[in-house]
Each structure stands twice: as C-alpha cells, then as structure tokens.
Amino acid sequence: MSHIPSFGAGTFRLTGQAAIDSVRNALDVGYRAVDTAQIYGNEADVGQAISESGVKRADLFLTTKIWTENYARTRLVPSLRESLERLRTDYVDLTLIHWPAPGNGVELPEYMEALAEAKALGLTRQIGISNFNIELTRQAIAAVGKNEIATNQIELSPYLQNHELTAFLKQQGIAVTSYMTLAYGKVLKDPVLAKVASKHQATVAQVALAWALQLGYAVIPSSTKRENLASNLLARDLTLDAEDMSLIAALERNGREVSPPGLAPAWD
Ligand SMILES: NC(=O)c1ccc[n+]([C@@H]2O[C@H](COP(=O)([O-])OP(=O)(O)OC[C@H]3O[C@@H](n4cnc5c(N)ncnc54)[C@H](OP(=O)(O)O)[C@@H]3O)[C@@H](O)[C@H]2O)c1
C-alpha cells in the first residue's frame, strides 16, 4: 500500500538561502514532507535545512524527482545516489520520474525498471511518476505494475481539474498529488473562491487547498513566507460544504500553466 502524506512543502524556484529559509520555516511551523527535484538545483539546500532543523529523519517524508538526463539505466541509480548525498540522507521516501519526455532517447520501460531497481536497492521507499497522461500511466503500469506506482504528481488546481486523468488514477489505485494547486498564485484572485473564503473566514489559498484535500489529493504548496506556509497548513482544518465544492467545480477552464515542449505528453 502506498502512503503519500496529504500535505507537503514545495521548493520549485527556491535556491540557496531562499530554499534553506523556506524549508526551515516549513519544518518549524509543522510540515513534515518536502518536495524537491534534481533539476531544482536545491537538494543540497534542502538537505542543509533539514539537518539543521533537528527534525528526525524518520519523521520526515522526502520526495525527489529524476531529471531527464538521468533516465538511462546506467545513470538513474547513480544520479539518485548523488541526490541522497546532497540531501544528506541514505534514502528518500519517494522518487518520481519528473516528466515523461517522449523522444528523449530512453524508452519508458527502461527508466521505469531502473526506478524500480532504485527501490529494490533501498535508495527510495516508494516510486512514482509526474506529468504522465493516461496512456503513459498505462505504459508505466505495464512496465512495473500498478502497485509499484505510489502517485502521479500533476498540475491540478481549481482552474485545471484533470477530470479524466484523476478518474483513471483513482480506478488504478494510484494517489494523485496536485502541484501548483494555487496555479502559482493565479487562483488567489478568483472572486468565487474569495466568496467561499469569506463565508468560512478563511484565506483563498486555504479554500483552494482544502478543495484539493477534500477530493483526496495530496498538495505541496510552496512559499517564501513563513506566515503563508503556516496559514496554508491550516487548510487541513477547513471543511468545505457541498455547495462550496460545486461552486469550485464550476471554475474548471483547462487553465494549464506548465507544458514544456519536449517534456510534456499530449495532455488528456
Ligand atoms: N512535478 C512537476 O513537474 C512540478 C511542477 C511545478 C511544481 N511542482 C512542485 O509543486 C510545488 C508547488 O508549486 P509552485 O510552488 O510552483 O506553485 P504554487 O504552490 O501553486 O504557488 C506558489 C506561489 O503562491 C504564493 N503563495 C503561496 N501561499 C500563499 C498564500 N497563502 N497567500 C498568497 N500567496 C501565496 C507563493 O508566493 P510567496 O512566496 O510570496 O508566498 C508562490 O508565488 C513546487 O514548489 C514543486 O515542489 C512540481
């Protein structure tokens, strides 16, 4: 059985002191899961913040993601060992294939099998995928089995609800992790969310995060500000009613923020 913590701190775009401060603040206000990636260039900063925090490794859930240049069987495991060194740990809890990157020269079965090997070696407790569409998720399942795939981490916000893909993942028993649940801040200006927020005396960010949590998704919002990190975490205490949920459901607009050419699949 896979286990993905429902709330974590993202670290995309944060490097150096900004990354160290954000992770330190996140751990300090109660986060116990941190999401990083080889390409973010901040694994060493994340590792430093964690080791200085005094939080026990066993109490933390650390996720990293393999970058496309490391998908070959000969590179994946060595690159994860390098990540572990930067993160100052001997295992991560979850390792994801960052993007399917069709046509980058390494076939999907090769990198999925190499990822499964990393798990068998004890370098990562769980493995998963990110930015995979339905067809590529099927191929990943065919390569390693659906019980091996803990999550598909995908862009998902009130503006991009991914109905088909999430229904498929649910049917397969693969957890959904929503990234950019706040659409990098865009949904924070939404008037419908603002109305729901004022009804509950909550922030708009809390409403968007509570919506995703109530649909059963894990979230990993990032912030450079301690007060935003702290208030976002309180989304766990907010319960939206059926009317709120249906108002938010109606905000769907296929509002995708991230689709890098060469990395992204044909979206469902
Ligand atoms: N798998 C992938 O391909 C992929 C792609 C993108 C992201 N991710 C992961 O998902 C995480 C989340 O995505 P993200 O960081 O890009 O976007 P996000 O969490 O949707 O939004 C972050 C932005 O929202 C602001 N913000 C956060 N809380 C706020 C609040 N309470 N009030 C006002 N503003 C608030 C932050 O600004 P302040 O700093 O000013 O608070 C920041 O500009 C990333 O950090 C990364 O770990 C994964």
Side-chain angles (χ1 to χ4, degrees), residues 10-13 35 40 65 98-99 130-131 153 179-185 188 205 220-225 228 231-232:
T11 64
F12 183 37
R13 298 185 192 85
D35 180 272
Y40 297 172
K65 313 184 195 80
H98 204 148
W99 285 91
S130 180
N131 298 299
Q153 183 182 118
Y179 78 68
M180 288 177 60
T181 320
L182 310 177
Y184 200 57
L188 300 178
I220 45 171
S222 75
S223 178
T224 55
K225 304 196 175 76
N228 287 350
S231 71
N232 289 349

Side-chain angles (χ1 to χ4, degrees), residues 6-19:
S6 60
F7 220 104
T11 64
F12 183 37
R13 298 185 192 85
L14 306 175
T15 55
Q17 198 58 44

Side-chain angles (χ1 to χ4, degrees), residues 117-161:
E117 188 193 325
K119 181 182 165 191
L121 290 168
L123 306 178
T124 183
R125 297 261 160 102
Q126 300 181 80
I127 60 174
I129 54 185
S130 180
N131 298 299
F132 277 45
N133 65 9
I134 293 174
E135 173 51 29
L136 292 167
T137 304
R138 280 191 207 285
Q139 291 178 24
I141 290 170
V144 297
K146 66 179 173 186
N147 294 336
E148 279 295 293
I149 302 172
T151 191
N152 187 2
Q153 183 182 118
I154 54 174
E155 183 182 348
L156 189 152
S157 75
Y159 290 168
L160 177 69
Q161 299 186 16

